[in-house]
Amino acid sequence: MSAPITQDVLTIPRKAPEGETPNLIGMTREQLRAALIEHGTPEKQAKMREGQIWQWLYHWGVREFTAMTNLSKDYRAFLDRTFQIKLPEVVTKQVSADGTRKYLLRIDGGHEVETVYIPEEGRGTLCISSQVGCTLTCSFCHTGTQKLVRNLTAAEIVGQVMVARDDLGDWNTPGEPKREERLVSNVVLMGMGEPLYNFDNVRDAMKIVMDGEGISLSRRRITLSTSGIVPEIARTAEEIGCLLAISFHATTDEVRDKLVPVNKKWNIETLLKALRDYPRLSNSERITFEYVMLKDVNDSDEDARRLVKLIRGIPAKINLIPFNEWPGAPYQRSDWERIEDFADIIFKAGYASPIRTPRGEDIMAACGQLKSATERGRKSRAQIAAEAAGTAAGA
Ligand code: SAH
Ligand code: SF4
């Protein structure tokens, strides 16, 4: 039985669990103000209160209403009775030999997601998840073997950034000058899930992350990676404004159908057309083409030449990702020499072609290795191998 290409996912707005007060985290400014008014804050005060609370939450990282000292004691007590400040709970934190940190977070319903922090020279990238699992079934991706449980809420998405800042001590401190150097300086939506199948929550969370009076990351420091959900691609530029990465991974529909099955719905030609029409296409904001290097599947010189031909005219860089293995994975990483020769062809054609250094492999934190711990190993090795057999043989 083959898995559906894509399921129709309906995002049902999540209410606070029974008996719990509404969570202020994840509300947009407009939603926050409306919630204050709804619970009795006079309309003419609401704008100011919104600004004050926002700063406590997202500039100072405060978690107790009692600490919001520029609000009257009565108002703080009102907030405490009426709302809550709730983040995902850190279940475990693992630190790799290379400094990469992986957090396993628990969210409402007992579900789990993973978030990875990757420190590099001059920057720190946080890789966040947008869904529990993924409805798509890319054959090389560990997350793809886990059934989707649900979309993350905006609170759970921005909450991942906040939890990492907590752990790294990355918040501003009252009385000290505003931090210019951030440990979390970049955010990539490259964890679990397809962000364009959870568009509204991803957008609202990124608006909070970009807000200048809060976490304040520039839109150019956020990259959203998609497997190619064509009808939603333009909205990324229009409604979020962040950078775009495309999980391309193959140069013929025959191979891409097997690696990224959503290709059967929106094939290479349709995807490339959407990218040529992308509203923010420019040399300073090039589209990243991600390309996972799978031994004898998509890594030939011919593939490299086809790739540069296909994307001609699109301001692009190509990010080569050595395949990261996971238990039962039906593929192997291409040899280093092969990856370098492939990169060389792309480079000579005029594209930047960085090879992504695998990070945090010892803690299963590298690209495509994420999966809720409780879900690990749910599919048997044989099952996965059988499903992918067509791919390996066909290439
Ligand atoms: N669902 C989105 C974002 C998450 S995946 C997407 O597919 O774009 C982030 C990147 O890691 C994608 O390019 C994905 O194809 C790649 N990836 C998945 N599994 C991998 C693996 N085992 N090794 C290397 N890269 C992998
Ligand atoms: Fe989902 Fe992305 Fe993994 Fe494909 S690569 S299964 S779209 S998370």
Side-chain angles (χ1 to χ4, degrees):
M1 193 191 81
S2 68
I5 300 165
T6 130
Q7 285 152 239
D8 288 326
V9 185
L10 197 68
T11 303
I12 303 161
R14 286 182 71 79
K15 293 212 179 76
E18 198 88 30
E20 283 191 23
T21 48
N23 187 7
L24 293 187
I25 302 297
M27 289 186 185
T28 60
R29 280 181 175 273
E30 295 71 30
Q31 287 165 344
L32 172 58
R33 199 186 318 170
L36 295 176
I37 294 170
E38 187 195 327
H39 288 90
T41 303
E43 276 193 42
K44 53 182 193 329
Q45 275 185 26
K47 172 99 187 116
M48 188 171 74
R49 299 286 172 249
E50 167 213 306
Q52 290 168 317
I53 296 167
W54 189 273
Q55 233 190 7
W56 285 118
L57 294 177
Y58 300 117
H59 181 76
W60 305 116
V62 154
R63 298 297 149 68
E64 303 289 337
F65 291 110
T66 48
M68 301 185 174
T69 47
N70 58 355
L71 302 172
S72 74
K73 276 217 166 99
D74 283 353
Y75 196 70
R76 283 183 253 164
F78 151 77
L79 289 175
D80 200 33
R81 277 194 310 275
T82 319
F83 300 108
Q84 60 174 331
I85 301 167
K86 186 173 171 187
L87 294 184
E89 177 198 339
V90 180
V91 182
T92 56
K93 173 180 107 178
Q94 286 171 278
V95 182
S96 156
D98 68 14
T100 300
R101 293 173 185 225
K102 182 168 85 168
Y103 307 95
L104 177 68
L105 306 178
R106 184 169 298 138
I107 55 173
D108 282 346
H111 304 306
E112 290 167 345
V113 288
E114 291 183 322
T115 302
V116 179
Y117 176 71
I118 308 145
E120 285 170 292
E121 188 81 27
R123 68 158 152 194
T125 303
L126 192 70
C127 178
I128 63 175
S129 296
S130 57
Q131 301 181 308
V132 182
C134 187
T135 49
L136 302 177
T137 49
C138 303
S139 51
F140 54 89
C141 174
H142 202 196
T143 308
T145 65
Q146 173 181 349
K147 279 210 197 84
L148 175 83
V149 183
R150 69 167 168 84
N151 276 338
L152 297 189
T153 63
E156 290 158 351
I157 298 168
V158 69
Q160 295 173 60
V161 180
M162 299 176 78
V163 162
R165 285 191 123 196
D166 285 352
D167 182 50
L168 297 162
D170 206 20
W171 294 102
N172 288 289
T173 316
E176 288 179 17
K178 189 173 168 178
R179 273 169 179 266
E180 295 305 331
E181 290 253 314
R182 325 275 187 67
L183 289 172
V184 177
S185 64
N186 294 65
V187 166
V188 295
L189 283 146
M190 296 187 184
M192 296 164 62
E194 170 49 62
L196 294 187
Y197 274 154
N198 187 14
F199 190 89
D200 292 0
N201 290 332
V202 165
R203 175 199 56 211
D204 290 352
M206 291 307 107
K207 287 238 163 103
I208 296 171
V209 169
M210 293 185 285
D211 190 289
E213 280 166 49
I215 299 169
S216 199
L217 288 189
S218 129
R219 62 178 186 83
R220 286 198 182 81
R221 289 181 171 273
I222 300 173
T223 304
L224 181 152
S225 173
T226 178
S227 56
I229 311 304
V230 165
E232 305 292 327
I233 285 180
R235 290 179 76 195
T236 308
E238 286 156 359
E239 298 180 39
I240 308 176
C242 62
L243 304 183
L244 184 67
I246 301 290
S247 293
F248 206 62
H249 304 321
T251 60
T252 64
D253 282 324
E254 195 195 345
V255 175
R256 196 163 190 271
D257 280 352
K258 287 171 184 154
L259 298 181
V260 187
V262 79
N263 193 68
K264 293 182 205 156
K265 198 156 180 175
W266 297 292
N267 66 12
I268 292 179
E269 193 189 333
T270 314
L271 175 58
L272 289 172
K273 164 134 189 8
L275 299 180
R276 287 182 207 283
D277 294 342
Y278 192 63
R280 268 193 200 273
L281 204 53
S282 74
N283 264 324
S284 62
E285 293 181 34
R286 287 172 295 171
I287 293 174
T288 300
F289 284 76
E290 296 165 284
Y291 197 95
V292 64
M293 298 298 293
L294 304 172
K295 190 174 188 162
D296 299 331
V297 174
N298 64 355
D299 63 351
S300 68
D301 285 353
E302 208 188 339
D303 279 304
R305 283 192 287 265
R306 252 196 314 260
L307 178 59
V308 295
K309 217 162 147 189
L310 281 169
I311 67 171
R312 195 167 285 158
I314 301 176
K317 64 174 170 213
I318 296 163
N319 207 193
L320 299 178
I321 317 177
F323 173 60
N324 295 309
E325 299 203 357
W326 35 273
Y331 299 104
Q332 285 176 303
R333 178 181 290 179
S334 307
D335 299 333
W336 276 107
E337 210 173 294
R338 183 88 293 273
I339 299 177
E340 278 168 5
D341 289 351
F342 194 98
D344 207 43
I345 293 175
I346 290 164
F347 182 73
K348 287 198 175 116
Y351 293 95
S353 56
I355 300 169
R356 196 182 285 175
T357 319
R359 297 291 303 263
E361 281 183 290
D362 51 343
I363 56 168
M364 287 286 288
C367 301
Q369 292 184 317
L370 303 187
K371 194 168 176 180
S372 308
T374 47
E375 288 281 339
R376 272 189 218 293
R378 185 162 283 184
K379 269 194 189 180
S380 70
R381 189 186 179 94
Q383 219 178 336
I384 295 162
E387 281 172 18
T391 316

